[in-house]
Amino acid sequence: MMKETLTTPVKGENRSSLSVLGNLVKAQALQAEINKMVYSSITESTEQAKKELKEYTNRSIEEIKKFIPLTDGEASQLKQAITSRAAITTKTWLKRKFHNPEYGGKEFFSKKYGHIVRAFYSLIKHHFGAIKYTAILHSNFEEALGYANQLNYYSLPQNTKRITESQLDTLNKWEKAHNLPLTKQEDK
C-alpha cells in the first residue's frame, strides 16, 4: 500500500504538476524562439561586419597601391621599352637628317642613341611626376609601358634633335675617314 501512495498522485497535485510542466514547455518554446532571433541577429551582424571589413580592406589596399613603386620586373620591362624605342627613333633621326640610317657609323649612332634615351627617360619621368623612372608607381605600370611604347621621333624635344659638339666631333671624324663633306655646327 505504501508503494501505491508514493506513485499515485493526489488529484490536486496532478493539476498543478501538469500546469507547471505545461508552463515549462511554453517557456522552453519561447526561449527557443528568442534563441533563434538572437542567432539570426548575430548572423546578420556578423555578415554586415564581414562586408564592411572587406570594403575597408579593399579601400586600404587601393590606397597603399598608390605608394608602391614599380617592381624590379616592371622596371626592367619599362627600360626595355624605352631603349627599344630609342634605337628605332635614332635610326629614324639619322634617316631624316642624313637620308641614311647608317650614316656616321657605330660610335656616332651610340652617342645619338644615348642622347635620345636620356630624353625619353626625362619625358617619362616628367609625365608621371617621378624623380627617377623606377619611382613610377606600380599602379601606373601599364600606362607607363604604353606611354614608353608610343615614344618616337616626334616626341623628341627640339634640343635632342640637334647635334651636340661631342656628337659633331665623332661625326666629323667618321666623315673624314670616309672622304665625305663635314657636317657643320647647327645654329643654337
Coordinates of all heavy atoms in Angstrom, one line a residue, residues 81-171:
A81 N 61.4 48.8 -73.0 CA 60.5 49.5 -74.0 C 61.2 50.8 -74.4 O 61.2 51.2 -75.6 CB 59.2 49.8 -73.4
I82 N 61.8 51.6 -73.4 CA 62.4 52.9 -73.7 C 63.6 52.7 -74.6 O 63.8 53.4 -75.5 CB 62.8 53.6 -72.3 CG1 61.5 54.0 -71.6 CG2 63.7 54.8 -72.6 CD1 61.7 54.5 -70.2
T83 N 64.5 51.7 -74.2 CA 65.7 51.6 -75.0 C 65.4 51.1 -76.5 O 66.0 51.5 -77.4 CB 66.7 50.6 -74.3 OG1 66.1 49.4 -74.1 CG2 67.2 51.3 -73.0
S84 N 64.4 50.2 -76.6 CA 63.9 49.7 -77.9 C 63.4 50.9 -78.7 O 63.8 51.0 -79.9 CB 62.9 48.7 -77.7 OG 62.4 48.3 -78.9
R85 N 62.6 51.7 -78.1 CA 62.0 52.9 -78.9 C 63.1 53.9 -79.2 O 63.1 54.5 -80.3 CB 60.9 53.6 -78.0 CG 59.7 52.7 -77.8 CD 59.0 52.2 -79.1 NE 58.7 53.3 -80.0 CZ 58.4 53.2 -81.3 NH1 58.4 52.0 -81.8 NH2 58.2 54.2 -82.0
A86 N 64.1 54.0 -78.3 CA 65.2 54.9 -78.6 C 66.0 54.5 -79.8 O 66.5 55.3 -80.6 CB 66.1 55.1 -77.3
A87 N 66.3 53.2 -79.9 CA 67.0 52.6 -81.0 C 66.3 52.9 -82.3 O 66.9 53.3 -83.3 CB 67.3 51.1 -80.8
I88 N 65.0 52.6 -82.3 CA 64.2 52.9 -83.5 C 64.2 54.4 -83.9 O 64.4 54.8 -85.0 CB 62.8 52.3 -83.3 CG1 62.8 50.8 -83.2 CG2 61.8 52.8 -84.4 CD1 61.5 50.2 -82.7
T89 N 64.0 55.2 -82.9 CA 64.0 56.6 -83.1 C 65.3 57.2 -83.5 O 65.4 58.1 -84.4 CB 63.5 57.3 -81.8 OG1 62.3 56.8 -81.4 CG2 63.4 58.8 -81.9
T90 N 66.4 56.6 -83.1 CA 67.8 57.0 -83.5 C 67.9 56.8 -85.0 O 68.4 57.6 -85.8 CB 68.9 56.3 -82.7 OG1 68.7 56.6 -81.3 CG2 70.2 56.8 -83.1
K91 N 67.5 55.6 -85.4 CA 67.5 55.2 -86.9 C 66.7 56.2 -87.7 O 67.1 56.7 -88.7 CB 67.1 53.8 -87.1 CG 68.0 52.7 -86.5 CD 68.8 52.2 -87.6 CE 69.6 51.0 -87.1 NZ 70.8 50.7 -87.9
T92 N 65.5 56.5 -87.1 CA 64.6 57.5 -87.8 C 65.3 58.8 -87.9 O 65.2 59.5 -89.0 CB 63.3 57.6 -87.1 OG1 62.7 56.3 -87.0 CG2 62.3 58.5 -87.7
W93 N 65.9 59.3 -86.8 CA 66.5 60.6 -86.8 C 67.6 60.6 -87.9 O 67.8 61.6 -88.6 CB 67.1 60.9 -85.4 CG 67.8 62.2 -85.3 CD1 67.2 63.4 -85.0 CD2 69.2 62.4 -85.4 NE1 68.2 64.4 -85.0 CE2 69.4 63.8 -85.3 CE3 70.3 61.6 -85.7 CZ2 70.6 64.4 -85.3 CZ3 71.5 62.2 -85.8 CH2 71.7 63.6 -85.6
L94 N 68.5 59.6 -87.9 CA 69.6 59.5 -88.9 C 69.0 59.6 -90.3 O 69.6 60.3 -91.2 CB 70.4 58.2 -88.7 CG 71.3 58.2 -87.5 CD1 71.8 56.8 -87.2 CD2 72.5 59.2 -87.7
K95 N 67.9 58.8 -90.5 CA 67.4 58.8 -91.9 C 66.8 60.2 -92.3 O 67.0 60.6 -93.4 CB 66.3 57.7 -92.0 CG 65.8 57.5 -93.3 CD 64.9 56.2 -93.4 CE 64.5 56.0 -94.9 NZ 63.7 54.8 -95.0
R96 N 66.2 60.8 -91.3 CA 65.6 62.2 -91.6 C 66.7 63.2 -91.8 O 66.6 64.1 -92.7 CB 64.7 62.6 -90.5 CG 63.4 61.8 -90.5 CD 62.5 62.2 -89.3 NE 61.9 63.5 -89.4 CZ 60.8 63.8 -90.0 NH1 60.1 62.8 -90.5 NH2 60.3 65.0 -90.1
K97 N 67.8 63.1 -91.0 CA 68.8 64.1 -91.0 C 69.8 63.9 -92.2 O 70.3 64.8 -92.8 CB 69.6 64.0 -89.7 CG 70.6 65.1 -89.5 CD 70.0 66.4 -89.0 CE 71.0 67.4 -88.7 NZ 70.4 68.7 -88.5
F98 N 70.2 62.6 -92.4 CA 71.2 62.3 -93.4 C 70.7 61.4 -94.6 O 71.5 61.0 -95.4 CB 72.4 61.6 -92.7 CG 73.0 62.5 -91.7 CD1 72.8 62.2 -90.3 CD2 73.8 63.6 -92.0 CE1 73.4 63.1 -89.4 CE2 74.4 64.4 -91.1 CZ 74.2 64.1 -89.7
H99 N 69.4 61.0 -94.6 CA 68.8 60.2 -95.6 C 69.5 58.8 -95.6 O 69.4 58.1 -96.6 CB 68.9 60.8 -97.0 CG 68.4 62.2 -97.0 ND1 67.0 62.4 -96.8 CD2 69.0 63.4 -97.1 CE1 66.8 63.7 -96.9 NE2 68.0 64.3 -97.1
N100 N 70.1 58.4 -94.5 CA 70.7 57.1 -94.3 C 70.8 56.7 -92.9 O 71.5 57.3 -92.1 CB 72.1 57.2 -94.9 CG 72.9 55.9 -94.8 OD1 72.4 54.9 -94.2 ND2 74.1 55.8 -95.4
P101 N 70.1 55.6 -92.5 CA 70.1 55.2 -91.0 C 71.4 54.7 -90.5 O 71.6 54.5 -89.3 CB 69.0 54.1 -91.0 CG 68.9 53.6 -92.4 CD 69.3 54.7 -93.3
E102 N 72.4 54.5 -91.4 CA 73.7 54.0 -91.0 C 74.8 55.1 -91.0 O 75.9 54.9 -90.6 CB 74.2 52.9 -92.0 CG 73.2 51.7 -92.1 CD 73.0 51.0 -90.8 OE1 73.9 50.8 -90.0 OE2 71.8 50.6 -90.6
Y103 N 74.4 56.3 -91.4 CA 75.3 57.4 -91.5 C 76.0 57.8 -90.2 O 75.3 57.8 -89.2 CB 74.6 58.7 -92.1 CG 75.5 59.8 -92.5 CD1 76.0 59.8 -93.8 CD2 75.9 60.8 -91.7 CE1 76.9 60.7 -94.3 CE2 76.8 61.8 -92.1 CZ 77.3 61.8 -93.4 OH 78.1 62.7 -93.9
G104 N 77.3 58.0 -90.2 CA 78.0 58.4 -89.1 C 78.7 57.2 -88.3 O 79.5 57.5 -87.4
G105 N 78.4 56.0 -88.6 CA 79.0 54.9 -88.0 C 78.4 54.5 -86.6 O 77.6 55.2 -86.1
K106 N 79.0 53.5 -86.1 CA 78.5 53.0 -84.8 C 78.7 53.9 -83.6 O 77.9 54.1 -82.7 CB 79.2 51.6 -84.5 CG 78.8 50.5 -85.4 CD 79.5 49.2 -85.0 CE 79.1 48.1 -86.0 NZ 79.8 46.9 -85.7
E107 N 79.9 54.6 -83.6 CA 80.2 55.5 -82.5 C 79.2 56.7 -82.5 O 78.7 57.1 -81.4 CB 81.7 56.0 -82.5 CG 82.1 56.7 -81.3 CD 83.5 57.1 -81.3 OE1 84.3 56.7 -82.1 OE2 83.9 57.9 -80.4
F108 N 79.0 57.2 -83.6 CA 78.0 58.4 -83.7 C 76.6 57.9 -83.4 O 75.9 58.6 -82.6 CB 78.1 58.9 -85.2 CG 77.1 60.1 -85.3 CD1 77.2 61.3 -84.6 CD2 76.0 60.0 -86.2 CE1 76.3 62.3 -84.8 CE2 75.1 61.0 -86.4 CZ 75.3 62.2 -85.7
F109 N 76.3 56.7 -83.9 CA 74.9 56.1 -83.5 C 74.8 56.0 -82.0 O 73.8 56.4 -81.4 CB 74.7 54.8 -84.2 CG 73.4 54.1 -83.8 CD1 72.3 54.4 -84.6 CD2 73.3 53.3 -82.7 CE1 71.1 53.8 -84.2 CE2 72.1 52.7 -82.3 CZ 71.0 53.0 -83.1
S110 N 75.9 55.5 -81.4 CA 75.9 55.3 -79.9 C 75.7 56.6 -79.2 O 74.9 56.6 -78.2 CB 77.2 54.6 -79.5 OG 77.2 54.3 -78.2
K111 N 76.4 57.6 -79.6 CA 76.2 58.9 -78.9 C 74.8 59.5 -79.1 O 74.2 60.0 -78.1 CB 77.3 59.9 -79.4 CG 78.7 59.6 -78.9 CD 79.7 60.7 -79.2 CE 81.0 60.3 -78.5 NZ 81.9 61.4 -78.5
K112 N 74.3 59.4 -80.3 CA 73.0 60.0 -80.5 C 71.9 59.1 -79.8 O 71.0 59.7 -79.2 CB 72.7 60.0 -82.1 CG 71.4 60.8 -82.4 CD 71.7 62.3 -82.0 CE 70.5 63.1 -81.8 NZ 70.8 64.4 -81.2
Y113 N 72.1 57.8 -79.8 CA 71.2 56.9 -79.1 C 71.2 57.3 -77.6 O 70.1 57.4 -77.0 CB 71.7 55.5 -79.3 CG 71.0 54.4 -78.4 CD1 69.8 54.0 -78.7 CD2 71.7 54.0 -77.3 CE1 69.2 53.0 -77.8 CE2 71.1 53.0 -76.5 CZ 69.9 52.6 -76.7 OH 69.3 51.6 -75.9
G114 N 72.3 57.5 -77.0 CA 72.4 57.8 -75.6 C 71.6 59.1 -75.3 O 70.9 59.3 -74.3
H115 N 71.8 60.1 -76.3 CA 71.1 61.4 -76.1 C 69.6 61.2 -76.2 O 68.8 61.8 -75.4 CB 71.6 62.3 -77.3 CG 71.3 63.7 -77.2 ND1 71.4 64.6 -78.2 CD2 70.9 64.5 -76.1 CE1 71.1 65.8 -77.8 NE2 70.8 65.8 -76.5
I116 N 69.1 60.3 -77.1 CA 67.7 60.1 -77.2 C 67.2 59.3 -76.0 O 66.1 59.5 -75.5 CB 67.4 59.4 -78.6 CG1 67.7 60.4 -79.7 CG2 66.0 58.9 -78.6 CD1 67.6 59.9 -81.1
V117 N 67.9 58.3 -75.6 CA 67.5 57.5 -74.4 C 67.3 58.4 -73.2 O 66.3 58.4 -72.5 CB 68.5 56.4 -74.0 CG1 68.3 55.9 -72.6 CG2 68.5 55.3 -75.0
R118 N 68.3 59.3 -73.0 CA 68.1 60.3 -71.8 C 66.9 61.2 -72.0 O 66.2 61.4 -71.0 CB 69.4 61.1 -71.7 CG 70.6 60.4 -71.1 CD 71.8 61.2 -70.8 NE 72.3 62.0 -72.0 CZ 73.1 61.4 -72.9 NH1 73.5 60.1 -72.8 NH2 73.6 62.2 -73.9
A119 N 66.6 61.6 -73.2 CA 65.4 62.4 -73.5 C 64.1 61.6 -73.2 O 63.2 62.1 -72.6 CB 65.4 62.9 -74.9
F120 N 64.1 60.4 -73.6 CA 62.9 59.5 -73.4 C 62.7 59.3 -71.9 O 61.6 59.3 -71.4 CB 63.0 58.2 -74.1 CG 62.7 58.3 -75.6 CD1 62.8 57.2 -76.4 CD2 62.2 59.5 -76.2 CE1 62.5 57.3 -77.8 CE2 61.9 59.6 -77.5 CZ 62.0 58.5 -78.3
Y121 N 63.8 59.0 -71.2 CA 63.7 58.8 -69.7 C 63.2 60.1 -69.1 O 62.3 60.1 -68.2 CB 65.0 58.4 -69.1 CG 65.3 57.0 -69.1 CD1 66.5 56.5 -69.8 CD2 64.5 56.0 -68.5 CE1 66.7 55.1 -69.8 CE2 64.8 54.7 -68.5 CZ 65.9 54.2 -69.2 OH 66.2 52.9 -69.2
S122 N 63.7 61.2 -69.5 CA 63.2 62.5 -69.0 C 61.7 62.7 -69.2 O 61.0 63.2 -68.4 CB 64.0 63.6 -69.6 OG 63.7 64.9 -69.1
L123 N 61.3 62.4 -70.5 CA 59.9 62.6 -70.8 C 59.0 61.7 -69.9 O 57.9 62.2 -69.4 CB 59.6 62.2 -72.3 CG 60.2 63.2 -73.3 CD1 60.1 62.6 -74.7 CD2 59.3 64.5 -73.3
I124 N 59.4 60.5 -69.7 CA 58.5 59.5 -69.0 C 58.5 59.9 -67.5 O 57.5 59.9 -66.8 CB 58.9 58.1 -69.2 CG1 57.7 57.2 -68.9 CG2 60.1 57.6 -68.4 CD1 57.8 55.8 -69.5
K125 N 59.7 60.4 -67.0 CA 59.7 60.8 -65.6 C 58.8 62.0 -65.4 O 58.1 62.1 -64.4 CB 61.1 61.1 -65.1 CG 62.0 59.9 -65.0 CD 63.4 60.2 -64.5 CE 64.1 61.2 -65.4 NZ 65.5 61.4 -65.0
H126 N 58.9 63.0 -66.3 CA 58.1 64.2 -66.2 C 56.6 63.9 -66.3 O 55.8 64.4 -65.5 CB 58.5 65.2 -67.3 CG 57.7 66.4 -67.3 ND1 57.9 67.4 -66.3 CD2 56.7 66.8 -68.1 CE1 57.0 68.4 -66.5 NE2 56.3 68.0 -67.6
H127 N 56.3 63.0 -67.2 CA 54.9 62.6 -67.4 C 54.2 62.0 -66.2 O 53.1 62.3 -65.9 CB 54.7 61.7 -68.6 CG 53.3 61.3 -69.0 ND1 52.5 62.1 -69.7 CD2 52.6 60.2 -68.6 CE1 51.4 61.6 -69.8 NE2 51.4 60.4 -69.2
F128 N 55.0 61.2 -65.5 CA 54.5 60.5 -64.3 C 54.9 61.1 -63.0 O 54.6 60.6 -61.9 CB 54.9 59.0 -64.3 CG 54.1 58.3 -65.4 CD1 54.7 58.1 -66.6 CD2 52.8 57.8 -65.2 CE1 54.0 57.4 -67.6 CE2 52.1 57.2 -66.2 CZ 52.7 57.0 -67.4
G129 N 55.5 62.3 -63.0 CA 55.9 63.0 -61.8 C 56.8 62.3 -60.9 O 56.7 62.3 -59.7
A130 N 57.8 61.6 -61.5 CA 58.7 60.7 -60.7 C 60.2 61.3 -60.9 O 60.5 61.8 -61.9 CB 58.7 59.3 -61.2
I131 N 60.9 61.2 -59.8 CA 62.3 61.7 -59.8 C 63.2 60.8 -60.6 O 64.2 61.2 -61.2 CB 62.8 61.9 -58.4 CG1 64.0 62.8 -58.4 CG2 63.0 60.6 -57.6 CD1 64.4 63.4 -57.1
K132 N 62.9 59.5 -60.6 CA 63.6 58.5 -61.5 C 62.5 57.6 -62.0 O 61.5 57.4 -61.4 CB 64.7 57.8 -60.7 CG 64.3 57.2 -59.4 CD 65.5 56.7 -58.7 CE 65.1 56.0 -57.4 NZ 66.2 55.4 -56.7
Y133 N 62.9 56.9 -63.1 CA 61.8 56.1 -63.7 C 61.4 54.9 -62.8 O 60.3 54.4 -62.9 CB 62.3 55.6 -65.1 CG 63.1 54.4 -65.2 CD1 62.5 53.1 -65.4 CD2 64.5 54.4 -65.0 CE1 63.3 52.0 -65.5 CE2 65.3 53.3 -65.0 CZ 64.7 52.1 -65.3 OH 65.4 50.9 -65.3
T134 N 62.3 54.4 -62.0 CA 62.0 53.3 -61.1 C 61.0 53.8 -60.0 O 60.5 52.9 -59.3 CB 63.2 52.7 -60.5 OG1 64.0 53.7 -59.8 CG2 64.1 52.0 -61.6
A135 N 60.8 55.1 -59.8 CA 59.9 55.6 -58.8 C 58.5 55.7 -59.3 O 57.6 56.2 -58.6 CB 60.4 56.9 -58.2
I136 N 58.3 55.4 -60.6 CA 56.9 55.5 -61.1 C 56.1 54.4 -60.3 O 56.6 53.4 -60.0 CB 56.9 55.1 -62.6 CG1 57.6 56.3 -63.4 CG2 55.5 54.9 -63.2 CD1 57.9 56.0 -64.9
L137 N 54.9 54.7 -60.1 CA 54.1 53.9 -59.2 C 53.7 52.6 -59.9 O 53.4 52.6 -61.1 CB 52.8 54.6 -58.8 CG 53.1 55.8 -57.9 CD1 51.8 56.5 -57.5 CD2 53.8 55.4 -56.6
H138 N 53.7 51.5 -59.2 CA 53.2 50.2 -59.7 C 51.9 50.3 -60.3 O 51.6 49.7 -61.3 CB 53.3 49.2 -58.5 CG 52.5 47.9 -58.7 ND1 53.1 46.9 -59.5 CD2 51.3 47.5 -58.3 CE1 52.2 45.9 -59.6 NE2 51.2 46.2 -58.9
S139 N 51.0 51.1 -59.7 CA 49.6 51.2 -60.2 C 49.6 51.9 -61.6 O 48.6 51.8 -62.3 CB 48.7 51.9 -59.2 OG 49.2 53.2 -59.0
N140 N 50.7 52.6 -62.0 CA 50.7 53.2 -63.3 C 51.6 52.5 -64.3 O 51.9 53.0 -65.4 CB 51.4 54.6 -63.1 CG 50.5 55.6 -62.3 OD1 49.2 55.4 -62.3 ND2 51.0 56.6 -61.7
F141 N 52.0 51.2 -63.9 CA 52.9 50.5 -64.8 C 52.3 50.3 -66.2 O 53.0 50.6 -67.2 CB 53.2 49.1 -64.2 CG 53.9 48.2 -65.2 CD1 55.2 48.5 -65.6 CD2 53.3 47.1 -65.7 CE1 55.9 47.7 -66.5 CE2 54.0 46.3 -66.6 CZ 55.3 46.6 -67.0
E142 N 51.1 49.8 -66.4 CA 50.5 49.6 -67.7 C 50.5 50.9 -68.5 O 50.8 50.9 -69.7 CB 49.1 49.0 -67.6 CG 49.1 47.6 -67.0 CD 49.9 46.6 -67.9 OE1 49.9 46.7 -69.2 OE2 50.4 45.6 -67.3
E143 N 50.1 52.0 -67.9 CA 50.0 53.3 -68.6 C 51.5 53.7 -69.0 O 51.7 54.2 -70.1 CB 49.4 54.3 -67.7 CG 49.2 55.7 -68.3 CD 48.6 56.7 -67.4 OE1 48.2 56.4 -66.3 OE2 48.7 57.9 -67.8
A144 N 52.4 53.5 -68.1 CA 53.8 53.9 -68.3 C 54.4 53.1 -69.5 O 55.1 53.6 -70.4 CB 54.7 53.8 -67.1
L145 N 54.1 51.8 -69.5 CA 54.6 51.0 -70.6 C 54.0 51.4 -71.9 O 54.7 51.5 -72.9 CB 54.2 49.5 -70.3 CG 54.9 48.4 -71.1 CD1 56.4 48.5 -71.1 CD2 54.4 47.0 -70.7
G146 N 52.7 51.7 -71.9 CA 52.0 52.2 -73.1 C 52.6 53.5 -73.6 O 52.8 53.7 -74.8
Y147 N 52.9 54.4 -72.6 CA 53.5 55.7 -72.9 C 54.9 55.5 -73.6 O 55.2 56.1 -74.6 CB 53.6 56.5 -71.7 CG 54.1 57.9 -71.9 CD1 53.3 58.9 -72.3 CD2 55.5 58.2 -71.7 CE1 53.8 60.2 -72.5 CE2 56.0 59.5 -71.9 CZ 55.1 60.5 -72.3 OH 55.6 61.7 -72.5
A148 N 55.7 54.6 -73.0 CA 57.0 54.4 -73.5 C 57.0 53.8 -74.9 O 57.8 54.1 -75.7 CB 57.8 53.4 -72.5
N149 N 56.0 52.9 -75.1 CA 55.9 52.2 -76.4 C 55.5 53.1 -77.5 O 55.6 52.8 -78.7 CB 55.1 51.0 -76.3 CG 55.8 49.8 -75.7 OD1 57.0 49.6 -76.0 ND2 55.1 49.0 -74.9
Q150 N 54.9 54.3 -77.2 CA 54.5 55.2 -78.2 C 55.5 56.3 -78.5 O 55.3 57.2 -79.4 CB 53.1 55.8 -77.9 CG 53.0 56.6 -76.6 CD 53.4 58.0 -76.8 OE1 53.3 58.7 -77.8 NE2 54.1 58.6 -75.7
L151 N 56.6 56.4 -77.7 CA 57.6 57.4 -77.9 C 58.3 57.2 -79.3 O 58.5 56.1 -79.8 CB 58.7 57.3 -76.9 CG 58.3 57.7 -75.4 CD1 59.3 57.3 -74.4 CD2 57.9 59.2 -75.4
N152 N 58.5 58.4 -80.0 CA 59.1 58.3 -81.3 C 59.8 59.6 -81.7 O 59.9 60.5 -80.8 CB 58.0 58.0 -82.4 CG 56.9 59.1 -82.4 OD1 57.1 60.3 -82.3 ND2 55.6 58.6 -82.4
Y153 N 60.2 59.8 -82.9 CA 60.9 61.0 -83.3 C 60.1 62.3 -83.0 O 60.7 63.3 -82.5 CB 61.1 60.9 -84.9 CG 61.7 62.2 -85.4 CD1 63.1 62.3 -85.4 CD2 60.9 63.1 -86.0 CE1 63.7 63.5 -85.9 CE2 61.5 64.3 -86.5 CZ 62.9 64.5 -86.5 OH 63.5 65.6 -87.0
Y154 N 58.8 62.3 -83.1 CA 58.0 63.4 -82.9 C 57.9 63.7 -81.4 O 57.5 64.8 -81.0 CB 56.6 63.3 -83.5 CG 56.8 63.2 -85.0 CD1 56.6 61.9 -85.6 CD2 57.1 64.3 -85.8 CE1 56.8 61.8 -87.0 CE2 57.3 64.1 -87.2 CZ 57.1 62.9 -87.8 OH 57.3 62.7 -89.1
S155 N 58.2 62.8 -80.5 CA 58.2 63.0 -79.1 C 59.4 63.8 -78.6 O 59.4 64.3 -77.5 CB 58.2 61.7 -78.3 OG 57.1 60.8 -78.8
L156 N 60.5 63.8 -79.4 CA 61.7 64.4 -79.0 C 61.6 65.9 -78.9 O 61.1 66.6 -79.7 CB 62.8 64.1 -80.0 CG 63.3 62.6 -80.2 CD1 64.3 62.5 -81.3 CD2 63.9 62.2 -78.9
P157 N 62.2 66.4 -77.8 CA 62.3 67.9 -77.7 C 63.3 68.4 -78.7 O 64.2 67.7 -79.2 CB 62.9 68.1 -76.3 CG 62.9 66.8 -75.6 CD 62.7 65.7 -76.6
Q158 N 63.1 69.6 -79.1 CA 64.0 70.2 -80.2 C 65.5 70.1 -79.9 O 66.3 69.8 -80.8 CB 63.6 71.7 -80.4 CG 62.4 71.8 -81.3 CD 62.5 71.1 -82.6 OE1 61.7 70.2 -82.9 NE2 63.4 71.5 -83.5
N159 N 65.8 70.3 -78.6 CA 67.3 70.3 -78.3 C 67.9 68.9 -78.5 O 69.1 68.7 -78.6 CB 67.5 70.8 -76.9 CG 67.0 70.0 -75.8 OD1 66.1 69.1 -76.0 ND2 67.5 70.2 -74.6
T160 N 67.1 67.9 -78.5 CA 67.5 66.5 -78.7 C 67.7 66.2 -80.1 O 68.5 65.3 -80.5 CB 66.6 65.5 -78.0 OG1 66.3 65.8 -76.7 CG2 67.1 64.1 -78.1
K161 N 67.0 66.9 -81.0 CA 67.1 66.7 -82.4 C 68.4 67.3 -83.0 O 68.8 67.0 -84.1 CB 65.9 67.3 -83.1 CG 64.7 66.5 -82.8 CD 63.4 67.1 -83.6 CE 62.2 66.3 -83.2 NZ 61.0 66.9 -83.8
R162 N 69.0 68.3 -82.2 CA 70.2 68.9 -82.7 C 71.4 68.0 -82.5 O 71.4 67.0 -81.7 CB 70.5 70.2 -82.1 CG 70.8 70.1 -80.6 CD 71.1 71.5 -80.0 NE 71.3 71.4 -78.6 CZ 72.4 71.0 -78.0 NH1 73.4 70.6 -78.8 NH2 72.6 70.9 -76.7
I163 N 72.5 68.3 -83.1 CA 73.8 67.5 -83.0 C 74.6 68.3 -81.9 O 74.9 69.5 -82.1 CB 74.5 67.4 -84.3 CG1 73.7 66.6 -85.3 CG2 75.9 66.7 -84.1 CD1 74.3 66.6 -86.7
T164 N 75.0 67.6 -80.9 CA 75.8 68.2 -79.8 C 77.3 68.3 -80.3 O 77.6 67.7 -81.3 CB 75.8 67.4 -78.5 OG1 76.5 66.1 -78.8 CG2 74.4 67.2 -78.0
E165 N 78.1 69.1 -79.6 CA 79.5 69.3 -80.0 C 80.2 67.9 -80.0 O 81.0 67.6 -81.0 CB 80.2 70.3 -79.1 CG 79.8 71.7 -79.4 CD 80.6 72.7 -78.5 OE1 81.8 72.4 -78.2 OE2 79.9 73.7 -78.1
S166 N 80.0 67.1 -79.0 CA 80.7 65.8 -78.9 C 80.2 64.9 -80.1 O 81.0 64.2 -80.7 CB 80.3 65.2 -77.6 OG 80.8 63.9 -77.5
Q167 N 78.9 64.9 -80.4 CA 78.4 64.1 -81.5 C 79.0 64.6 -82.8 O 79.4 63.8 -83.7 CB 76.9 64.2 -81.5 CG 76.2 63.5 -80.4 CD 74.7 63.9 -80.3 OE1 74.2 64.6 -81.1 NE2 74.1 63.4 -79.2
L168 N 79.1 66.0 -83.0 CA 79.7 66.5 -84.2 C 81.1 66.1 -84.4 O 81.5 65.8 -85.5 CB 79.5 68.1 -84.2 CG 80.0 68.8 -85.5 CD1 79.1 68.3 -86.6 CD2 79.9 70.3 -85.3
D169 N 81.9 66.2 -83.3 CA 83.3 65.7 -83.4 C 83.4 64.3 -83.9 O 84.2 64.0 -84.8 CB 84.0 65.8 -82.0 CG 84.3 67.3 -81.6 OD1 84.2 68.2 -82.5 OD2 84.5 67.5 -80.4
T170 N 82.6 63.4 -83.3 CA 82.6 62.0 -83.7 C 82.1 61.8 -85.1 O 82.7 61.1 -85.9 CB 81.7 61.2 -82.7 OG1 82.1 61.4 -81.4 CG2 81.6 59.7 -83.1
L171 N 81.1 62.6 -85.5 CA 80.6 62.5 -86.9 C 81.6 63.0 -87.9 O 81.8 62.3 -88.9 CB 79.3 63.3 -87.0 CG 78.6 63.4 -88.4 CD1 78.2 62.0 -88.9 CD2 77.4 64.3 -88.3

